[in-house]
Amino acid sequence: YNALETVFIEEKDIIGVIHFAAFKSVPESVDNPFKYYHNNINSLLNLLELALKYKVNNLIFSSSCSVYGNIASLPVSEDTPLNKAICTYAYTKQIGE
């Protein structure tokens, strides 16, 4: 949190954030779910809290096809229903969205 806040303090003209940062290994997320919850959720919450604090109102958030769970066909669209996440990584992406 503190290191990220330093960026907001030092860079005075931030108008938006592009958030691509997350752990993404499906097998690792199954083996070590706490690591994925801690990093993928807490980091996003820290970013959102600081964006609010420093009045940065624009955010691009990187999604993942894994948020849809097991689906019958590809490609997915924004109309594809979300199914149950099949791993911790996918679940953290669902929570983030």
Side-chain angles (χ1 to χ4, degrees), residues 48-59:
L48 294 174
E49 182 178 338
L50 289 167
L52 284 171
K53 181 177 179 178
Y54 291 94
K55 298 178 176 45
V56 176
N57 297 317
N58 300 297
L59 172 72

Side-chain angles (χ1 to χ4, degrees), residues 42-80:
N42 289 344
S43 296
L44 174 60
L45 291 173
N46 289 341
L47 178 63
L48 294 174
E49 182 178 338
L50 289 167
L52 284 171
K53 181 177 179 178
Y54 291 94
K55 298 178 176 45
V56 176
N57 297 317
N58 300 297
L59 172 72
I60 296 173
F61 180 76
S62 178
S63 187
S64 168
C65 186
S66 69
V67 299
Y68 295 101
N70 287 328
I71 54 173
S73 64
L74 292 172
V76 299
S77 72
E78 290 183 358
D79 297 322
T80 302

Side-chain angles (χ1 to χ4, degrees), residues 6-61:
T6 300
V7 174
F8 281 87
I9 292 168
E10 292 178 356
E11 303 298 327
K12 305 282 187 220
D13 297 325
I14 299 173
I15 60 169
V17 176
I18 301 172
H19 180 46
F20 291 150
F23 292 146
K24 62 177 183 62
S25 168
V26 171
E28 183 183 52
S29 78
V30 172
D31 292 341
N32 194 350
F34 180 76
K35 176 180 178 180
Y36 277 68
Y37 288 120
H38 179 74
N39 183 73
N40 294 2
I41 302 303
N42 289 344
S43 296
L44 174 60
L45 291 173
N46 289 341
L47 178 63
L48 294 174
E49 182 178 338
L50 289 167
L52 284 171
K53 181 177 179 178
Y54 291 94
K55 298 178 176 45
V56 176
N57 297 317
N58 300 297
L59 172 72
I60 296 173
F61 180 76

